[in-house]
Amino acid sequence: MSAPNNRLLALDVIRGITIAGMILVNNPGSWQSVYAPLQHARWHGLTPTDLVYPFFMFIMGVAIHFSLRKFDKLNTTVSLKIIRRTVALFAVGIALDCFSKLCYGTFSWEHLRIFGVMQRLALAYAGGAFLAILIPKKYYLATAGGILLLYLVLLQCFNGYVHSADNLIAVIDVKLLGAGHLIKEAAEGGSFAFEPEGLLSTIPCWAHVLFGTFVGSLITGIAENKERIRQIALFGTVLLFAGFLLQYLDPINKKLWTASYTLITSGTASLLLALLIDIIDVRQKKRWCRFFEAFGVNPLFMYVVAWIISVLFGLSFIPWGEATISVRGIIYNRTLQPLLGDYAGSLVYALFFIGVIWALGYILYRKRIYIKL
């Protein structure tokens, strides 16, 4: 545990917004009753929910600049720092999957999910951090563009957009990881083995992190606040329009993490960050953001805690008549759903769950306890 020094408050707040968003969309009262904006696009397309995860990855890139800017070259110290954190994040991701399956009695080594949200963050962090040190700042954007161009060419030339088992990403993951270690993707005519956080589709995430690192360099490299905000907003606008134009060649797709998706989400994240810096760090309007600070100062720890509590809330262990029921069953099925209906009750349960996690995080926030993962 350690206390952060000279934190940019807007960075904590946007990180908190993304973590709260991730918890919200991952914990409805019922997966059969979720409002459309809180669902991921089935394949091509973009919903508000599809913005949450890449926002966090972008902000991770900004944080990489702050944490590694004192290193002007790659050496043993910084390499070990990056590797240790990568291994820790990857191991936590696998541990969470194992915990869930052990609790629900579905664990088996043959069907262990090797990749997932935390594992992708680990690999994106590793690739982005090494690139940020090895490449001069003036080449960040060119490198990110080259990565996206390479990935786009691969998808264009090797069946990268089809929604079937013949998809390039699915083929590579099945061959390298085995179908048993992937989740099932629903498609017309049946499902197929597909990992939305797989190996090949992690490559554009390095560009995502580099875009964030570039914005971090703008924050520290420009002294005047208005100019800093203007540059970040301009950068975000350019990325956003570039992504929308590119979608005619390269469809927006979170599961494939296409180049257009990377550009649009990075651009939107830049614009949001510029807005928050103006409101919070320039205009000093901070009272409204205390809620998100509690999530933002311990983001990954809060995500892990939310995962664990979500699993526990789903276990049926409370005596209820002649059977047992889960905490979620009592709150949603027996209380909220009868009172509010399927969809509204499911949303209110998700908001209640966020409140529970926030209460735990607020205790850490008030005590100035910061847990790094």
Side-chain angles (χ1 to χ4, degrees):
M1 302 181 195
S2 60
N5 296 314
N6 301 317
R7 300 182 78 101
L8 183 65
L9 184 55
L11 187 58
D12 283 336
V13 173
I14 191 172
R15 200 158 31 204
I17 291 171
T18 59
I19 289 297
M22 290 170 74
I23 295 171
L24 173 70
V25 301
N26 287 337
N27 292 280
S30 169
W31 285 107
Q32 283 69 50
S33 304
V34 180
Y35 289 112
L38 299 179
Q39 299 180 37
H40 290 292
R42 182 180 178 187
W43 192 244
H44 296 326
L46 187 71
T47 73
T49 296
D50 293 324
L51 298 175
V52 178
Y53 186 29
F55 272 27
F56 188 84
M57 191 168 295
F58 174 87
I59 296 304
M60 182 173 69
V62 178
I64 283 174
H65 171 74
F66 282 97
S67 64
L68 299 181
R69 59 178 169 161
K70 61 184 177 182
F71 300 101
D72 56 358
K73 63 180 180 180
L74 191 65
N75 55 41
T76 302
T77 300
V78 70
S79 296
L80 290 176
K81 175 185 174 72
I82 294 170
I83 292 171
R84 277 196 298 266
R85 189 167 192 230
T86 299
V87 172
L89 290 175
F90 202 96
V92 168
I94 293 209
L96 289 176
D97 186 64
C98 291
F99 175 76
S100 301
K101 291 176 178 175
L102 285 170
C103 286
Y104 291 125
T106 59
F107 177 81
S108 71
W109 290 111
E110 293 78 12
H111 294 93
L112 174 67
R113 188 182 177 190
I114 298 174
F115 287 91
V117 171
M118 292 290 287
Q119 296 93 313
R120 167 157 287 183
L121 284 177
L123 297 180
Y125 168 79
F130 278 120
L131 287 172
I133 294 176
L134 291 170
I135 298 169
K137 293 183 180 64
K138 62 182 179 180
Y139 296 126
Y140 281 176
L141 297 185
T143 303
I147 290 170
L148 294 181
L149 178 60
L150 171 63
Y151 186 63
L152 186 151
V153 169
L154 288 174
L155 295 187
Q156 291 282 336
C157 296
F158 298 102
N159 222 23
Y161 299 105
V162 296
H163 195 206
S164 72
D166 296 325
N167 183 281
L168 174 65
I169 293 172
V171 170
I172 289 176
D173 285 337
V174 167
K175 286 187 177 297
L176 295 180
L177 304 175
H181 297 293
L182 311 180
I183 61 177
K184 296 294 184 182
E185 171 69 19
E188 293 184 9
S191 62
F192 62 97
F194 181 83
E195 177 52 74
E197 278 80 44
L199 283 168
L200 185 63
S201 56
T202 297
I203 292 175
C205 296
W206 298 340
H208 226 125
V209 175
L210 278 179
F211 285 141
T213 306
F214 175 77
V215 168
S217 71
L218 292 179
I219 293 172
T220 58
I222 301 174
E224 207 275 317
N225 278 323
K226 287 186 178 179
E227 180 62 19
R228 178 186 295 165
I229 293 168
R230 190 185 75 85
Q231 290 283 351
I232 296 173
L234 177 61
F235 175 68
T237 302
V238 170
L239 289 188
L240 189 63
F241 275 92
F244 278 121
L245 288 174
L246 185 61
Q247 71 170 316
Y248 295 103
L249 173 67
D250 180 59
I252 303 168
N253 190 307
K254 176 188 179 294
K255 293 178 180 179
L256 301 177
W257 213 278
T258 55
S260 61
Y261 175 74
T262 303
L263 292 170
I264 288 171
T265 53
S266 295
T268 309
S270 297
L271 291 172
L272 178 59
L273 179 58
L275 177 64
L276 291 176
I277 292 174
D278 181 53
I279 293 172
I280 299 170
D281 294 291
V282 176
R283 301 174 188 265
Q284 295 293 303
K285 296 181 179 180
K286 302 179 179 180
R287 292 184 62 182
W288 66 273
C289 61
R290 293 286 176 85
F291 177 85
F292 296 109
E293 281 185 74
F295 287 101
V297 295
N298 289 306
L300 292 179
F301 176 76
M302 296 287 279
Y303 177 82
V304 170
V305 169
W307 181 301
I308 294 171
I309 293 178
S310 177
V311 172
L312 296 178
F313 274 21
L315 294 176
S316 296
F317 64 91
I318 302 171
W320 193 271
E322 297 181 357
T324 57
I325 194 172
S326 65
V327 173
R328 184 173 62 223
I330 293 175
I331 297 173
Y332 172 68
N333 298 98
R334 301 294 181 177
T335 307
L336 295 175
Q337 191 272 340
L339 286 174
L340 303 174
D342 294 342
Y343 283 82
S346 183
L347 175 59
V348 171
Y349 174 83
L351 295 173
F352 163 79
F353 188 83
I354 287 179
V356 172
I357 304 305
W358 174 84
L360 297 175
Y362 188 68
I363 295 172
L364 300 179
Y365 171 71
R366 287 295 300 269
K367 293 181 178 293
R368 298 183 182 275
I369 298 173
Y370 305 98
I371 302 173
K372 292 185 177 181
L373 289 180

